[in-house]
Amino acid sequence: MYSDFIKGLIDVLGSDGVLQHPTELEPYLTDWRAIFKGQALAVVFPKTSSEVQTIVQLCQEFAIAIVPQGGNTNLTGSATPEKTGQQIVLSTKRMNKIRSIDLENQTMVVEAGCILQTIQEKAAQLGLLFPLSLAAEGSCTIGGNLATNAGGINVLRYGNTRDLCLGIEAVTAGGEVLDGLRGLRKDNTGYDLRNLIIGSEGTLAIITAAVIKLFPAPVSRCAAYIAVNDYSVIVKLLHALQKKAANELCAFEIMSKESLDLTQSHFPQFSHPIFNQSEYTLLIELAEFDQHSIAHQLLEDVLSTDLEKGTIQDVLIATSLTQVKQFWAIREHITLAQAKELGNIKFDISFEISKIGPFIQSTSQLLIARYPGIRIINFGHFGDGNLHFNLCPPIGVDQNYFTHHEESISALVYDQISLFNGSISAEHGIGQLKRDYLAKHRGNTAYQMMQEIKKTLDPKQLLNPHKVLR
Ligand code: FAD
Ligand code: MLT
Ligand code: ZN
């Protein structure tokens, strides 16, 4: 039976479009953090939406499930097939064309497998901006960004990926093409299917193309690196900038001392540019949209007053684009530094801004009391309420420390998240990592509605089964 199925795939895609050899399959069978490991019958590489459609129809016929995969940079095991070896991975790598650009409408039609950085570069060539930005942008795809509703560093000004998309084309589990490639900014015609599919992590449809929004490019970027000891100052600074430079404020990132120390220990080439003993360091970016912008001056004014009063410990405002990029390189290497530490637990969570500080304080106290020496590596997109609350085992414990304690640590942190009314996934999605926590977190009614949607749109469980929902 499988040989007929594989023959059918090769008939559609040619033999170079179907990988089967175990060593060739390898990179597609595990996630970026190498936590989850699966098996697959084959990895397939369609080039067009109609090839995706034919593959889905073939999978229907043979009852074979499909795991869509873009850049495979997700942090939740969402694009890793199950261990059964009876699923296929559908890679969008070859669907990477920019189909069209509409300068008047400020939109671009891109195929799902376009690499995010390629899209950013194309927009820049046109003198425009595609503002989605994250450390994995050199390898993640727009299809994956949409399927996870990725956030990143510019959510404060431009929103999540959902807010950057006006239309999608997708292949349904029934093998139909949903053609929604329209660049309309207003369209209230029935249920919003685009927004249902965005963020559904490949469980409801396979996205094949999208209409994305472009924006005016800033004429320059202005960034500051700020050392702060007193947590309450961080919130005041955010409010001051939102009041004085709301249109320009793009990014407001927080990095704890521990997260920077860890980064420096693995990547000593990224030296800390200012006083590095403060509890927190902020990385703030403002975009300047015209030559006469006073954003830079505003930033200087706000920060110099705080520096004089002693409410912030040190500050450095970048004087060149190279320096702006150096600041960001440090921030982006936190995740890479953590990946070098064996065994860590990641919590990608969000809160109302007022609750971030109390959550960090209370949860850290509980963790340190129960697991002496545990290292709390927190950082994140403070301006939009998204905290990356990550844990590394105490120095010197054996490699399996977290294998023994992960369940109890997760229970503690998830209880705290619900106490502070936060979300268990701000931007990375659910995948398989958080699947078993979703029902409790969202409550019975919401969870049942999600199950009903899945049953209706994918009754045979063909699309990424057992991800997001149990
Ligand atoms: P994949 O990992 O290939 O897939 C992710 C999910 O989308 C899976 O469920 C998959 O089945 C589904 N999928 C992929 N393509 C399609 C498609 N065409 N149709 C339907 N479903 C599809 N995320 C953030 O939100 N913000 C960050 O700041 C951020 N920083 C990161 C930094 C690093 C260093 C790394 C490694 C990851 C980071 N991520 C971040 C996570 C990750 O990069 C994003 O989730 C990204 O959007 C995933 O895109 P991808 O193409 O790699 O998708
Ligand atoms: C980031 O903002 O760098 C990420 O979302 C990745 C992480 O959580 O490590
Ligand atoms: Zn993030």
Side-chain angles (χ1 to χ4, degrees):
M1 168 202 146
Y2 288 143
S3 60
D4 288 347
F5 173 68
I6 299 286
K7 184 179 170 306
L9 290 175
I10 294 173
D11 286 347
V12 184
L13 304 173
S15 52
D16 69 331
V18 183
L19 295 185
Q20 294 177 77
H21 194 279
T23 45
E24 290 175 326
L25 296 186
E26 203 55 33
Y28 301 90
L29 303 180
T30 190
D31 61 308
W32 187 83
R33 294 170 71 205
I35 294 182
F36 300 97
K37 176 95 178 76
Q39 295 298 331
L41 272 176
V43 180
V44 300
F45 299 88
K47 289 201 194 79
T48 63
S49 312
S50 86
E51 285 182 357
V52 174
Q53 193 180 9
T54 316
I55 294 168
V56 173
Q57 287 162 353
L58 204 60
C59 286
Q60 280 258 5
E61 191 186 324
F62 287 88
I64 296 214
I66 305 167
V67 180
Q69 194 178 94
N72 201 16
T73 65
N74 70 83
L75 300 170
T76 63
S78 56
T80 305
E82 293 181 341
K83 290 187 194 303
T84 57
Q86 286 164 11
Q87 304 184 323
I88 60 162
V89 172
L90 185 150
S91 167
T92 58
K93 267 189 183 162
R94 292 189 184 171
M95 301 178 62
N96 58 3
K97 286 194 285 298
I98 292 179
R99 286 195 194 160
S100 62
I101 294 161
D102 182 342
L103 287 178
E104 282 186 27
N105 199 39
Q106 304 256 293
T107 48
M108 208 189 258
V109 179
V110 292
E111 291 187 344
C114 281
I115 300 289
L116 173 57
Q117 194 175 332
T118 310
I119 297 175
Q120 294 166 342
E121 286 168 0
K122 185 70 199 173
Q125 283 164 17
L126 300 167
L128 293 167
L129 173 77
F130 184 61
L132 180 64
S133 179
L134 45 135
E137 63 200 21
S139 40
C140 66
T141 62
I142 190 69
N145 302 147
L146 286 161
T148 56
N149 186 27
I153 58 174
N154 290 327
V155 171
L156 202 51
R157 186 173 198 283
Y158 298 98
N160 295 292
T161 310
R162 186 188 298 289
D163 305 298
L164 304 174
C165 174
L166 294 173
I168 58 167
E169 175 190 87
V171 175
T172 68
E176 308 286 336
V177 174
L178 174 76
D179 180 5
L181 281 186
R182 292 192 299 172
L184 305 179
R185 287 174 172 79
K186 283 192 159 180
D187 181 16
N188 281 346
T189 48
Y191 300 141
D192 191 338
L193 302 175
R194 174 193 63 201
N195 273 324
L196 183 60
I197 293 169
I198 293 175
S200 68
E201 303 183 38
T203 63
L204 298 181
I206 302 173
I207 300 166
T208 48
V211 184
I212 55 169
K213 284 191 212 169
L214 303 174
F215 294 82
V219 289
S220 66
R221 295 168 60 182
C222 167
Y225 207 78
I226 307 157
V228 190
N229 266 333
D230 177 357
Y231 180 86
S232 65
V233 172
I234 301 174
V235 182
K236 286 191 192 126
L237 211 51
L238 174 65
H239 290 165
L241 288 167
Q242 281 176 324
K243 189 169 168 196
K244 295 187 171 161
N247 190 43
E248 287 89 356
L249 184 62
C250 297
F252 194 104
E253 298 283 314
I254 189 172
M255 299 172 280
S256 65
K257 181 174 179 317
E258 293 75 15
S259 71
L260 289 173
D261 287 347
L262 184 77
T263 308
Q264 183 121 55
S265 72
H266 288 289
F267 299 101
Q269 67 270 37
F270 297 115
S271 60
H272 203 66
I274 53 172
F275 172 74
N276 68 353
Q277 295 308 313
S278 64
E279 204 62 20
Y280 285 103
T281 297
L282 305 178
L283 173 48
I284 295 175
E285 180 162 331
L286 273 67
E288 300 187 285
F289 291 99
D290 69 68
Q291 303 295 353
H292 312 291
S293 164
I294 53 160
H296 193 281
Q297 190 57 48
L298 264 175
L299 196 57
E300 250 175 39
D301 292 350
V302 170
L303 296 176
S304 59
T305 319
D306 277 316
L307 196 58
E308 274 162 28
K309 283 195 289 190
T311 43
I312 60 178
Q313 275 53 62
D314 200 358
V315 60
L316 181 63
I317 299 183
T319 51
S320 65
L321 184 58
T322 311
Q323 205 174 14
V324 172
K325 289 182 179 165
Q326 279 164 1
F327 290 175
W328 279 110
I330 300 171
R331 162 65 181 86
E332 285 169 359
H333 276 74
I334 300 176
T335 307
L336 304 175
Q338 243 212 321
K340 284 183 181 282
E341 296 274 310
L342 286 177
N344 53 63
I345 313 181
K346 285 168 101 70
F347 295 99
D348 158 44
I349 55 189
S350 64
F351 297 96
E352 292 156 3
I353 301 282
S354 47
K355 308 258 170 51
I356 300 180
F359 167 86
I360 295 177
Q361 205 188 9
S362 145
T363 310
S364 304
Q365 267 173 11
L366 288 173
L367 284 169
I368 291 164
R370 258 182 239 175
Y371 308 95
I374 196 165
R375 288 172 294 155
I376 301 170
I377 310 294
N378 65 53
F379 62 99
H381 318 288
F382 186 90
D384 62 36
N386 183 180
L387 181 69
H388 295 308
F389 189 81
N390 296 341
L391 305 174
C392 285
I395 306 261
V397 295
D398 82 86
Q399 267 193 24
N400 296 322
Y401 182 85
F402 273 166
T403 321
H404 300 313
H405 296 297
E406 180 158 4
E407 221 177 293
S408 56
I409 290 174
S410 297
L412 184 158
V413 176
Y414 284 129
D415 280 351
Q416 286 287 108
I417 295 169
S418 86
L419 190 68
F420 288 93
N421 212 9
S423 166
I424 63 166
S425 178
E427 60 173 6
H428 296 163
I430 298 296
Q432 31 184 332
L433 183 70
K434 299 180 182 171
R435 182 191 52 206
D436 296 339
Y437 297 97
L438 185 64
K440 186 172 173 211
H441 178 67
R442 290 294 301 270
N444 282 344
T445 310
Y447 195 73
Q448 270 168 23
M449 284 174 79
M450 290 192 234
Q451 283 180 315
E452 290 303 322
I453 291 169
K454 173 71 177 171
K455 257 188 250 164
T456 306
L457 295 186
D458 183 17
K460 294 187 180 163
Q461 291 274 344
L462 286 185
L463 296 181
N464 217 0
H466 311 126
K467 306 288 170 42
V468 184
L469 303 175
R470 273 197 296 262

